[in-house]
Amino acid sequence: DTAVSQTPKYLVTQMGNDKSIKCEQNLGHDTMYWYKQDSKKFLKIMFSYNNKELIINETVPNRFSPKSPDKAHLNLHINSLELGDSAVYFCASSLSYGTLNTGELFFGEGSRLTVL
Amino acid sequence: AQSVTQLDSQVPVFEEAPVELRCNYSSSVSVYLFWYVQYPNQGLQLLLKYLSGSTLVESINGFEAEFNKSQTSFHLRKPSVHISDTAEYFCAVSEVKNAGNMLTFGGGTRLMVKP
């Protein structure tokens, strides 16, 4: 079983459209993240949720709206897509409490978004 | 704020040669340090991590990294590389933020192993 799974793996769409990427983890973690990897492979955090509550929001345009229906799921919805949104989006999860908090993140395989 | 610098964007090396991928970080607090590996068209996988204790940490596939607090470095080494080690390698530092762990990544180093 895949620990952190994202769908779709590839997404090609036109500028101005709205799209969503879904993420699910079966590790029993309480915290989930979205990272963006640009064309130069640079990775930057976008959002983090802990037990369905937004805890990290790193100056991402409000066209990006994460939603966490429960602690095992974190979806990313993007409105009015722009060319610059083309990237690989990675979902990740971690444990955040007590001695089990090692800072380690477990990543999904990524969703490659191409905006034409 | 934390930052991570990987000094080399690309490192070409011949198979069976040794390699060192350099990583320096800045942080005002105690840190957890990580190396992640990304094979082509795949997600990031943890290679090794430093949390506390021995400053030399090892992975199961022959990589090792040494935490040097005075030099704020966490360089990754392997005495003899294989073609299969060709990948992008990311150094990262973890900061606890609002009950989450925010990983700050370096820009990555592409290791290219040639036959």
Side-chain angles (χ1 to χ4, degrees):
Chain A
D1 270 351
T2 304
V4 182
S5 58
Q6 305 177 219
T7 55
K9 193 168 182 179
Y10 298 97
L11 189 53
V12 180
T13 189
Q14 300 286 333
M15 270 197 315
N17 284 349
D18 303 338
K19 290 293 177 187
S20 292
I21 307 171
K22 296 185 176 182
C23 179
E24 175 182 5
Q25 54 94 5
N26 62 6
L27 297 168
H29 290 167
D30 61 342
T31 305
M32 296 184 71
Y33 309 79
W34 278 109
Y35 276 79
K36 179 180 179 180
Q37 186 176 46
D38 64 22
S39 58
K40 295 184 179 179
K41 301 284 189 180
F42 185 71
L43 277 154
K44 185 168 169 54
I45 190 167
M46 300 173 67
F47 301 102
S48 178
Y49 272 72
N50 174 262
N51 284 318
K52 303 191 297 177
E53 183 182 342
L54 180 66
I55 56 172
I56 296 173
N57 183 342
E58 291 291 304
T59 61
V60 178
N62 57 14
R63 296 184 295 106
F64 290 77
S65 53
K67 283 191 171 52
S68 182
D70 56 61
K71 70 177 186 177
H73 295 83
L74 180 61
N75 304 323
L76 183 64
H77 188 76
I78 315 171
N79 289 326
S80 303
L81 279 156
E82 301 176 358
L83 292 176
D85 298 330
S86 295
V88 182
Y89 293 85
F90 285 100
C91 178
S93 69
S94 72
L95 271 171
S96 68
Y97 52 87
T99 57
L100 298 174
N101 181 357
T102 64
E104 179 182 352
L105 267 60
F106 293 76
F107 285 85
E109 294 199 340
S111 298
R112 182 178 293 276
L113 172 65
T114 302
V115 182
L116 303 174
Chain B
Q2 301 185 129
S3 67
V4 179
T5 302
Q6 291 183 242
L7 296 162
D8 306 297
S9 60
Q10 294 186 73
V11 173
V13 64
F14 287 105
E15 195 173 18
E16 297 184 6
V19 70
E20 178 180 79
L21 307 184
R22 296 179 291 169
C23 172
N24 288 90
Y25 69 93
S26 67
S27 175
S28 58
V29 297
S30 297
V31 297
Y32 298 146
L33 292 160
F34 303 83
W35 277 98
Y36 280 82
V37 59
Q38 184 179 26
Y39 297 103
N41 298 314
Q42 294 188 27
L44 281 80
Q45 304 171 32
L46 180 69
L47 188 60
L48 45 75
K49 60 188 174 187
Y50 170 77
L51 305 180
S52 65
S54 173
T55 57
L56 186 65
V57 289
E58 298 176 353
S59 71
I60 58 172
N61 57 354
F63 283 94
E64 64 179 29
E66 186 160 19
F67 170 57
N68 187 319
K69 188 174 182 179
S70 62
Q71 297 186 3
T72 60
S73 68
F74 190 54
H75 300 331
L76 181 70
R77 302 183 183 96
K78 188 170 185 180
S80 175
V81 294
H82 302 289
I83 295 285
S84 60
D85 293 324
T86 295
E88 193 87 23
Y89 291 80
F90 293 94
C91 182
V93 60
S94 177
E95 170 190 8
V96 175
K97 185 172 182 179
N98 298 338
N101 290 296
M102 196 168 94
L103 273 185
T104 299
F105 286 90
T109 297
R110 176 166 293 181
L111 177 62
M112 300 177 293
V113 182
K114 300 181 283 188

